[in-house]
Amino acid sequence: MQDLEGKVAVITGAGSGIGEGIARAAAAAGMRVVVADIDLEKARAVTAELERIGAQAIAVATDVSSLESVESLRDVTLEHFGAVHLLCNNAGVWIGALMQNADIRDWQYLINVNLYGVIHGVKTFLPLLVEQGEGHIVNTASVGGLISGPPEGLYTTTKFAVVGLSEALLMEVADKGVGVSVLCPGLVDTNLITQSFAMRPQSLDPGIDHQQPAPDVASGISPLTVGEQVMDAVREGGFYVITHDDYRDIIQMRHDGILDALDAHAARYGSTSGRKLDPQ
Ligand SMILES: NC(=O)c1ccc[n+]([C@@H]2O[C@H](COP(=O)([O-])OP(=O)(O)OC[C@H]3O[C@@H](n4cnc5c(N)ncnc54)[C@H](O)[C@@H]3O)[C@@H](O)[C@H]2O)c1
């Protein structure tokens, strides 16, 4: 989607961090912006900033873990701006917990926001984009959607799923005029760690292990830099938006491990190429 001037961007989790960075970059590109966040006060503060630089923007209270709330976001957007062209499913939370200790409700907290948040966005907005034959969806995963390790098991489970969903979506809508990108940031200087702990349901057992070392997000790049990279991908139709190249060796190791296993399997059991996988 090359011409962004006057187009409408809906960004979830835009009251802070990367979502705010995307909102600022979208406004700078001339887009009208819907700042959606579970925290309406923060969404309003970002909206006021965007208006100060001359952009049209509205704040909408949205809980991405609720399908009804995301449907209401769509309705308010259409009522106010009449269309949607760019959807950034960005809202997300983090918990560092070893799987041997994690409460099932911690899993549910992360899956409901990080994975169902993206699913609700796609389910609700994709038909509009397909119908108008133009649009772009950006799903925020993480470099943790490409590589994994403790204590990030819960988080990377959700982010690997977002990468898989996005890869399939890219192929599904390739001929429908709808672009797809998956954002895989490394460390970005945001409120992710503090915010995620603050919003974690109070009912959860405080005794479980959530004090694993957290990523040092304060050492990360600026959210606006990420937002500008997202806008480049939207204009150019880029799929993987990987904000750091520090993880090249680990990504290489992971993929080499998979290919080595494939070669070892073929060497031991014979190649399956050209014959039915089902032995019957
Ligand atoms: N900061 C990093 O280093 C980093 C790295 C990789 C991926 N990410 C991903 O980037 C995305 C944005 O995180 P961030 O780092 O900007 O954190 P952040 O906490 O600064 O911003 C996240 C925003 O999402 C909102 N939010 C949380 N739950 C919500 C819900 N249920 N519905 C709607 N809004 C909700 C929060 O209120 C907050 O404003 C997340 O998906 C995160 O997993 C961040």
Side-chain angles (χ1 to χ4, degrees):
M1 201 166 57
Q2 281 169 358
D3 183 14
L4 301 181
E5 186 71 37
K7 300 264 168 68
V8 178
V10 175
I11 303 155
T12 67
S16 168
I18 293 172
E20 178 178 352
I22 299 172
R24 286 173 182 271
M31 299 190 84
R32 295 176 283 165
V33 182
V34 179
V35 178
D37 203 287
I38 198 166
D39 185 330
L40 184 58
E41 283 315 303
K42 288 195 309 186
R44 283 187 171 140
V46 171
T47 303
E49 274 300 303
L50 300 184
E51 285 172 339
R52 207 179 50 76
I53 58 166
Q56 288 184 49
I58 56 167
V60 183
T62 308
D63 177 359
V64 299
S65 68
S66 151
L67 178 60
E68 292 72 27
S69 182
V70 176
E71 288 172 341
S72 161
L73 169 64
R74 174 200 57 201
D75 295 346
V76 172
T77 302
L78 292 178
E79 218 169 89
H80 202 86
F81 287 135
V84 180
H85 303 93
L86 171 63
L87 169 68
C88 297
N89 291 310
N90 167 77
V93 288
W94 180 92
I95 277 186
L98 299 178
M99 285 184 269
Q100 55 195 300
N101 300 334
D103 191 293
I104 193 65
R105 290 167 298 174
D106 278 321
W107 282 100
Q108 288 159 348
Y109 171 44
L110 288 199
I111 290 170
N112 285 340
V113 181
N114 294 3
L115 180 53
Y116 269 106
V118 175
I119 293 169
H120 292 154
V122 170
K123 170 84 188 133
T124 304
F125 285 89
L126 183 60
L128 295 178
L129 304 188
V130 169
E131 196 184 342
Q132 73 194 8
E134 183 189 30
H136 199 104
I137 295 179
V138 178
N139 295 324
T140 301
S142 166
V143 74
L146 304 171
I147 49 178
S148 188
E152 307 239 351
L154 282 69
Y155 182 73
T156 64
T157 296
T158 64
K159 297 301 189 178
F160 267 66
V162 171
V163 171
L165 179 158
S166 305
E167 288 178 352
L169 185 61
L170 174 74
M171 294 178 222
E172 187 175 319
V173 298
D175 61 348
K176 298 191 165 49
V178 179
V180 178
S181 303
V182 63
L183 173 61
C184 299
L187 291 175
V188 185
D189 185 8
T190 71
N191 298 309
L192 182 66
I193 308 303
T194 46
Q195 181 72 17
S196 302
F197 277 110
M199 295 200 325
R200 184 173 161 261
Q202 296 297 309
S203 59
L204 294 186
D205 176 1
I208 43 177
D209 185 2
H210 293 292
Q211 300 310 316
Q212 295 289 323
D216 180 15
V217 291
S219 68
I221 62 174
S222 98
L224 183 58
T225 301
V226 178
E228 286 163 351
Q229 293 178 13
V230 166
M231 285 304 127
D232 287 342
V234 171
R235 282 196 195 89
E236 294 159 15
F239 179 65
Y240 294 108
V241 184
I242 303 181
T243 61
H244 297 57
D245 63 3
D246 321 6
Y247 307 96
R248 171 177 291 276
D249 291 349
I250 313 176
I251 292 172
Q252 178 85 56
M253 227 176 357
R254 175 166 188 273
H255 288 93
D256 285 350
I258 294 169
L259 294 177
D260 287 351
L262 199 144
D263 290 343
H265 183 92
R268 182 166 180 191
Y269 300 109
S271 171
T272 52
S273 165
R275 70 183 154 83
K276 280 175 73 179
L277 291 177
D278 182 350
Q280 325 253 338

